[in-house]
Amino acid sequence: MLQDSIHLEPSWLKRLEPEFQKPYMEHLRAFLKSEKQGEKVLFPPGPQIFAALDSTPFERVRVVILGQDPYHGPGQAHGLCFSVPLGVAPPPSLVNIFKERDVDLGLPYPKHGNLGAWAQQGVLLLNSVLTVEAHRAASHQGKGWETFTDRIVELLSNEKSNLVFFLWGRYAQNKGAAIDREKHLVLQAPHPSPLSAYRGFLGSRPFSRCNEYLRDKGLPLIDWKL
């Protein structure tokens, strides 16, 4: 799934190419190869593993939403955290994201769950772990992806200014602990899953707070419609 020749959006490849030469990435590549040889079904499809980076070049990133790992049901994962392809019913966490968005901004419930329109505006929809085995949530945690995506967060924090980071749930908050909060806005809330959304995610107003910050900095706002 991770070929020797990495096909990645150029602005990200320039910064991340050294990572593909490091021992942890060699171990990750070997693990994924072994999983495929064992005829395990992995999500998302190989060409979509880096879809978050390919959809949102480094220079265009204005907002970062950190997820945990891809959806593990058939047809759900396509490389953008919380998002599903057109024609796939939104999972419960995404339903709660839409509920909060609608209350926050007064936008109607969308007819689909594809968040690609956000990615095209500079919202990096980044999972911490970029692959998963079918029907086995978190099955690829601890295999190396976290080191890779930690580097992405580090690059964004260090090289850019005035980003907005959405850290939903303890996992994302731990991953974002090193973000420079003097340079960026960090919006923390419980995870939007049904188990925790009513503990503070609903009512947290992340979308309007994000745009208020961008407006104060004189930056273009995100159009959160879909």
Side-chain angles (χ1 to χ4, degrees), residues 147-166:
T147 302
F148 181 72
T149 53
D150 280 347
R151 178 58 178 155
I152 292 171
V153 173
E154 179 184 36
L155 286 166
L156 290 166
S157 179
N158 291 346
E159 294 190 23
K160 297 182 74 73
S161 298
N162 302 324
L163 298 181
V164 182
F165 289 85
F166 290 8

Side-chain angles (χ1 to χ4, degrees), residues 31 35 43 68-73 129-143 145-146 171:
F31 166 74
E35 293 286 279
F43 299 132
Q68 191 161 339
D69 62 344
Y71 295 125
H72 55 86
V129 176
L130 300 188
T131 57
V132 71
E133 182 182 343
H135 309 298
R136 292 191 61 214
S139 52
H140 288 189
Q141 289 186 12
K143 304 300 183 182
W145 281 126
E146 295 91 341
Y171 187 95

Side-chain angles (χ1 to χ4, degrees), residues 14 23 37-38 78 97 99 101 128 134-135 166 177 185 200 212:
K14 179 174 68 175
Q37 289 176 340
H78 67 138
I97 290 171
K99 286 181 180 178
R101 185 201 66 152
S128 176
H135 309 298
F166 290 8
L185 175 65
E212 288 167 6

Side-chain angles (χ1 to χ4, degrees), residues 157-219:
S157 179
N158 291 346
E159 294 190 23
K160 297 182 74 73
S161 298
N162 302 324
L163 298 181
V164 182
F165 289 85
F166 290 8
L167 305 183
W168 294 334
R170 186 171 298 174
Y171 187 95
Q173 290 159 18
N174 289 341
K175 190 172 187 67
I179 296 167
D180 186 344
R181 300 180 185 221
E182 297 296 318
K183 295 171 59 182
H184 308 288
L185 175 65
V186 176
L187 298 176
Q188 297 191 173
H191 195 276
S193 77
L195 295 175
S196 56
Y198 289 92
R199 299 175 188 165
F201 173 77
L202 296 175
S204 61
R205 300 179 54 246
F207 307 102
S208 61
R209 291 168 67 192
C210 170
N211 276 351
E212 288 167 6
Y213 176 83
L214 295 175
R215 183 183 296 110
D216 288 345
K217 298 296 182 181
L219 299 171

Side-chain angles (χ1 to χ4, degrees), residues 15-30:
R15 293 169 171 85
L16 293 170
E17 192 167 20
E19 299 301 303
F20 291 97
Q21 312 306 319
K22 293 182 178 179
Y24 83 85
M25 188 60 74
E26 291 297 322
H27 292 311
L28 174 58
R29 185 181 286 110

